[in-house]
Each structure stands twice: as C-alpha cells, then as structure tokens.
Amino acid sequence: MTEPRHIPIQVPVLARVEGEGTLELRVHDGVIEDLRLRIFEPPRMFEKLLEGREYSEVPDMVARICGICPVAYQMSAVHAIESILGVEPGPWVRNMRRVFYCGEWIQSHSLHIHMLAAPDLLGYSSVVEMARKFSEEVRRGLRLQALGNDIIRLLGARSVHPVGARVGGFHHAPKPKQVNLLLEKLHAALPDAEDLLRWTASLELPSDDQDFICVALRHAREYPMNEGRLVSSHGLDIPADQFETRFAEQQVPHSTALHCLLDGSPYLVGPLARLNLNFDHLPDSIRTLVDNLGIGFPSRNMHHSVVARAIEIVFAIREAIRLLEAYREPQLAYVNTMPRAGTGVGCTEAPRGILWHRYELGAEGLVIRARIVPPTSQNQSRMEDDLRQSLQSFGLNQHEDALRHFGERVIRNYDPCISCATHFLDLRISRQGS
C-alpha cells in the first residue's frame, strides 16, 4: 500500500528567500529508498556572460555571483588570468590578498554560525528569537561580521561586491592610518573570537560518525587560502590544473545545481574538510586552544563544522594581524599586465570550500571560454548522502515537522547559500509498506 503525503510549508517572509528547495523522500518499511534534494534556482549563465569580455572586467563581474563570498570569486579569477598572462604580482599583493580573504572568512563564518547554525542548535526558529535569551552572543556575532566587512572594505572599497581587486593586484593601496585603525579593531576582536570558539565547542552537538571524503587545498607551509595543491583524505594530491582529470560535474534530473564528484564519489569541501586536512598548519597557539576544547581533528562528525568555522575566525583574525603589522604602503598596488592568449586555472578556498576557475583568453585578452566550479556543486552529493544517513538515524517514523526541521538543519550545516536556497523546505514523503 502506498501512502503519499505532501506537507505544504508556509513561507512567511519572501524577502529572505534566495531560492527554493524541496526534499523528496520515498520510504519503504522504515528505510529510505530514494532521497532527492531538489534545487530549482534558474541557471544564471555567468560563464556564458563572461565570453567576449576583456580579462580586466572579469574580477568585477564574477564578484556579482555571490554576495557572501565575492572575494573568493575575484581571487580564483585573478589567479587563473595571471597564470595566462605570466604575471607575478609579488609579496605585497600576495599578503594583501590573504588579508582580503581573512575578511571574507570572518564575515561569512560569523553569519553562518549566528544566523543559521546557532538557532538550529539551540532550538530557535531564527536568530531574532534566539537573541531574546542570547543577546550578547548575537551582538558578538554581529561585531565579528562587521569586522570582516571592515577588512574587505579596506582593500575592496566596499564590503559587498568589492571593486578593489584587479588582475595584477589592487587598484589602490590603503593608507597606513587606515591599516592602524583596523589593527586596533582586530586586536580588540580577538577575545570575542576566542570566546566564540569556546562557546561553539560547549554547545550540545549531536554525535554523528560518518565516513566521507574530505577535499581541500594544501600549501607547503601555511593554512591554505589562495594557493596550494588539491588533496583529499583518501590520497589525492594533484596540482589545481589537473582538477578536470579527477573531478567531474554532472547534471541530475531533479536539480539545476550541478553535482561534482571525485572519481565518481561524493566528497566534502569547506571548513571541516579544510581543517581536517590542514590542522597541522594552524599556529601553535590556536592548536593549543583547540586541544583544550575536547574536540579532536580530523573529525568525522559533520556537526563539528560549526566549531571548525569558529576556529577559522580565530585564525583569520590572527593572520590579518600578523600581515598588517608588517604593512608598508607600496608605490604601486599592482603590476601592469598585457593581454596574451592561453588557458589558465585558479583555485582558492572560499568560506564554503574550494572554488575552481578556468579561463581561455584570445590574443587580444578577450574571454573565449570560462568554467567555474563553486563549492555549492561540490557539496551537493555529499549533502544527499548526509541527509540519507542522518534522517535514517533520526528516525523516519518521526512527525513530518520534526523530519523537515531536522532535514533543514542538516542542509544548513553545509553552506549559507544552499541554506538560504532551502531555508523554506517543502518536504514530501511517500511511505510504503507497513
């Protein structure tokens, strides 16, 4: 006997919706037979929009892909294009790009922890409701997010869709007075960040041991942001320009988001994967702080992602302080570039995981072809695997509301963009058998 059930969920505030998602389950005798996370955001065609544009336009154009991680899109793009042009911007640009990235990690991770993860973990429907009891925690989160935006603004002229980055460096170098003011804020924020880390580790995080593949960049000497080889927890170790030899995107009928697989298998990117593969590259002071939390890394518990994000906030603040304390204003914040034909690859660590770009330029510097593989598509299959395992463990006989909330929580644990896209989840369950 088949008993299909459709549970409509009222959408109370459309302004918060970046997209829509549906989780479809088919259950037979208490076992999930089929699970589909349907993402039906319309295709945006950004790669096609880039064709025919000058290479110098690309950083500002790709920044519009995401309002939360525009820096990541700019950084992957400039690295790819500079590899074609044979440009080496030098240590000042390299350091400031790392500072730029610190800002994005701080603001994005803080947003995710406080606006998305914490209400789930503490049993609230929203951060507004949570703030009634945890007002200081929410204020702390907003202060950290504002700090991240201040860093992005220092180099990017504005915090949302920044326009300061260019191929070869930055359009302008900050004045030392601006840097000193920011350094004061960074030093003042460090206790907040360390308190946040201890707070996330003190939350009642579910035990959830899962077997999954982690993929991240790994640099020879430092915690990865802009550079490194692609490595995995299962032995992968290749340069970024060999990405397409092992990773393949595929279209699935139930989603407009592509699913990317490593040698045919789902994998995880993002802060937990990054930390699992690069914990030894954290400074000693942060490793000691983490060792005292009672949570070991590498971790196979996806719920430790919230702790991983807090660890990276502490790291990003310390890293920005380290780099800005050595700041010297250069005569020119970029190196000049000349168009050249060729194909180049860039891969950097967006807050949600590796972001891979490939561009082909013509002799006049116009984009012939572009390909962008965001973290979102790389985590899609892993999310479905996680949902399948987590819902089964949670108990499929639970009330539909409980299943829906639990499914949303699993999804939000991965990625703010997907979390927003599936924030109002329409859960459809078809139960069969006894």
Side-chain angles (χ1 to χ4, degrees), residues 336-357:
N336 289 310
T337 58
M338 294 293 291
R340 192 165 83 180
T343 301
V345 163
C347 186
T348 67
E349 283 283 359
R352 305 175 196 87
I354 57 173
L355 172 58
W356 189 86
H357 287 211

Side-chain angles (χ1 to χ4, degrees), residues 75 78 82 87 89 92-93 97 164-171 333-335:
M75 294 298 97
V78 296
E82 287 167 3
V87 169
W92 185 89
V93 170
R97 283 178 174 170
R166 56 175 288 170
V167 178
F170 291 90
H171 289 288
Y334 59 88
V335 296

Side-chain angles (χ1 to χ4, degrees), residues 31-343:
V31 176
I32 296 175
E33 281 194 333
D34 191 29
L35 182 149
R36 297 180 180 187
L37 176 59
R38 295 186 59 220
I39 306 295
F40 36 88
E41 283 280 287
R44 298 168 71 188
M45 310 294 184
F46 251 97
E47 290 149 317
K48 204 67 181 172
L49 288 172
L50 291 168
E51 292 181 7
R53 309 301 298 226
E54 294 186 7
Y55 71 86
S56 58
E57 297 179 280
V58 173
D60 287 343
M61 291 184 70
V62 297
R64 270 66 176 179
I65 292 175
C66 181
I68 298 172
C69 52
V71 171
Y73 280 93
Q74 291 184 316
M75 294 298 97
S76 290
V78 296
H79 279 280
I81 293 170
E82 287 167 3
S83 74
I84 300 171
L85 305 183
V87 169
E88 174 48 63
W92 185 89
V93 170
R94 183 181 189 278
N95 288 344
M96 290 307 104
R97 283 178 174 170
R98 206 164 161 81
V99 171
F100 205 27
Y101 234 129
C102 287
E104 183 153 284
W105 279 14
I106 294 168
Q107 67 85 13
S108 178
H109 285 350
S110 184
L111 182 152
H112 184 269
I113 291 172
H114 298 90
M115 308 293 172
L116 301 175
D120 280 339
L121 293 168
L122 295 168
Y124 296 100
S125 63
S126 70
V127 67
V128 175
E129 185 181 333
M130 183 183 115
R132 293 173 187 159
K133 184 174 180 181
F134 293 92
S135 58
E136 180 48 38
E137 286 81 0
V138 172
R139 288 192 181 96
R140 180 181 61 200
L142 293 175
R143 287 196 298 271
L144 288 168
Q145 188 174 356
L147 175 68
N149 286 337
D150 287 343
I151 298 174
I152 295 173
R153 192 179 298 111
L154 177 78
L155 291 154
R158 61 192 193 198
S159 61
V160 180
H161 303 318
V163 292
R166 56 175 288 170
V167 178
F170 291 90
H171 289 288
H172 300 287
K175 296 296 180 186
K177 183 179 179 181
Q178 295 174 284
V179 172
N180 290 335
L181 288 173
L182 183 58
L183 272 170
E184 290 178 12
K185 293 182 179 180
L186 285 162
H187 281 290
L190 198 50
D192 267 355
E194 293 178 351
D195 286 346
L196 171 64
L197 172 54
R198 286 185 280 268
W199 183 69
T200 58
S202 72
L203 295 171
E204 194 172 337
L205 302 174
S207 297
D208 181 28
D209 185 64
Q210 295 190 23
D211 186 15
F212 51 84
I213 301 171
C214 295
V215 174
L217 289 179
R218 182 167 171 84
H219 189 272
R221 298 179 304 279
E222 58 192 18
Y223 201 78
M225 284 183 174
N226 275 301
E227 303 159 9
R229 293 173 64 85
L230 283 165
V231 301
S232 82
S233 53
H234 288 50
L236 178 78
D237 187 355
I238 59 173
D241 60 7
Q242 291 183 17
F243 177 90
E244 289 169 306
T245 66
R246 305 292 294 274
F247 295 82
E249 286 182 300
Q250 62 182 25
Q251 186 76 59
V252 295
H254 59 274
S255 174
T256 55
L258 294 172
H259 288 209
C260 192
L261 302 173
L262 166 59
D263 296 332
S265 297
Y267 61 97
L268 173 73
V269 298
L272 183 60
R274 199 157 48 223
L275 194 66
N276 279 347
L277 295 168
N278 292 282
F279 187 80
D280 59 324
H281 278 337
L282 289 174
D284 290 344
S285 59
I286 299 178
R287 289 209 305 271
T288 301
L289 187 61
V290 175
D291 287 343
N292 292 329
L293 300 176
I295 296 176
F297 292 95
S299 168
R300 292 168 27 129
N301 185 346
M302 280 303 306
H303 297 284
H304 288 164
S305 295
V306 66
V307 182
R309 286 186 172 91
I311 292 170
E312 288 194 337
I313 288 177
V314 176
F315 168 74
I317 290 176
R318 287 186 176 275
E319 183 70 353
I321 289 173
R322 182 183 74 81
L323 293 166
L324 291 178
E325 283 186 336
Y327 183 81
R328 297 289 183 275
E329 185 180 1
Q331 290 187 332
L332 200 60
Y334 59 88
V335 296
N336 289 310
T337 58
M338 294 293 291
R340 192 165 83 180
T343 301

Side-chain angles (χ1 to χ4, degrees), residues 333-404:
Y334 59 88
V335 296
N336 289 310
T337 58
M338 294 293 291
R340 192 165 83 180
T343 301
V345 163
C347 186
T348 67
E349 283 283 359
R352 305 175 196 87
I354 57 173
L355 172 58
W356 189 86
H357 287 211
R358 175 171 52 74
Y359 296 95
E360 181 182 349
L361 301 183
E364 301 300 319
L366 302 181
V367 176
I368 296 174
R369 268 179 289 275
R371 186 181 174 206
I372 297 172
V373 183
T376 303
S377 74
Q378 299 180 70
N379 275 336
Q380 288 290 304
S381 293
R382 169 85 270 274
M383 273 193 285
E384 289 190 342
D385 273 6
D386 190 349
L387 282 163
R388 192 174 289 106
Q389 295 177 54
S390 297
L391 287 168
Q392 192 77 53
S393 299
F394 181 64
L396 296 170
N397 291 325
Q398 302 269 1
H399 189 274
E400 281 80 2
D401 282 346
L403 286 170
R404 186 197 63 186

